[in-house]
Amino acid sequence: MKTLIPILILIIPCSVFAQSSLITDLQKNLDDSNYTEVINALGSGEDIDDVYLLNILGQAYYNVKNYDAAIDAFEKVIDLKDEPTHEDYYWLGSSNLEMLQTDIEFFKKAVYSNSAKGNLIKALELKPSYVEPRVKLTNYYINAPVFAGGSITQAKKHANILIEYDKNIGMQLLASIHLNQGDLDLAESLYLELEKDQSTNNEKIYYLLAEVNFRKKDYDKVFEYCKKSIEKYPNYLMGYYQFSKTASITNQNVEDGISYLKKYLEKDSGNINAPGNHWVYYRLGQLEKLNSNTKAAEIAFKNSLKIKPDFKEANDALSLLN
């Protein structure tokens, strides 16, 4: 007699497949920077209790600079989880940190400040090698006033820890601390050490060396480092800008400065990079004026004001030109 072996059939509700498909679609939209589509699909997140959906929603709000809504989403993620991850705390900390840069009432700054610092610290407790929160925490300690927890000692401590995990970023942060404190020789020595380390392949390094020497008023070195930046990293535009800024201040290498700014504008026609094309046109106007080309200077200053109508420097320069 044959024994009948029961076959267990697992029936998965259609809703599970639908939820999985929704998460996949929304994650793709997030990866493709279609943040508005994510927000339109999920709304405020008030009625959502799925941590994956809330995480995607929080990141979408973060990327459109709606930090209040991002904080709500990430706080809910942490409340719903028995064991929140380092990434959960990182996103909540980052959202609070960005809120500090917005136009909020002074008395609210302490709340966001404490939450930013506290959550970034929690992220690092769970994963000490996590680079992003350590960078943000270090910058917090550098920029925050002492009464809000700012501490150069803590900033240096975290920059030195970061060197263990990412030498390039850690040394840049440590050098920037010395730079801001006026320890220019110490900052330069760290940048020179990074320059020698070919493994970092840091496109900013020659610009950073130029910036140190600009503060030292060693303008020959500034021009030298900017040229190295332009030659080795032609798509990193700060070398072009720093060369031309220095040319406009020193009245040296004026024609080269004009040429570099025109190349800058060709490479960044969409006005994506810092310091912004309003500054680039302003520097171009200064150099054209130094080059006795008043008409070209006027056009450049006016182009600067088209981008940023309230740009005081360009307005003043245009008034003096006329």
Side-chain angles (χ1 to χ4, degrees), residues 2-20:
K2 292 182 179 180
T3 305
L4 295 176
I5 302 173
I7 300 173
L8 184 65
I9 299 174
L10 182 63
I11 300 174
I12 302 174
C14 292
S15 59
V16 173
F17 290 112
Q19 185 84 334
S20 175

Side-chain angles (χ1 to χ4, degrees), residues 136-151:
K136 292 195 175 187
L137 187 60
T138 304
N139 280 316
Y140 175 86
Y141 284 127
I142 293 170
N143 296 309
V146 175
F147 68 82
S151 167

Side-chain angles (χ1 to χ4, degrees), residues 65-76:
K65 304 185 188 306
N66 187 341
Y67 302 117
D68 251 338
I71 288 169
D72 288 342
F74 293 127
E75 283 182 340
K76 197 169 179 183

Side-chain angles (χ1 to χ4, degrees), residues 179 184 188 204-231 238-250 252-253 260:
L179 190 65
L184 301 181
E188 185 173 21
K204 297 180 181 178
I205 192 61
Y206 292 118
Y207 161 69
L208 293 170
L209 283 163
E211 176 61 24
V212 173
N213 283 282
F214 183 84
R215 297 192 189 194
K216 286 183 173 184
K217 298 187 178 179
D218 188 343
Y219 298 121
D220 287 339
K221 277 192 176 179
V222 175
F223 288 126
E224 176 189 339
Y225 282 126
C226 286
K227 283 183 177 178
K228 284 184 177 181
S229 176
I230 291 164
E231 288 168 8
M238 283 306 296
Y240 297 81
Y241 180 79
Q242 187 71 10
F243 184 101
S244 305
K245 173 184 173 182
T246 308
S248 71
I249 291 168
T250 62
Q252 299 175 38
N253 300 309
Y260 284 141

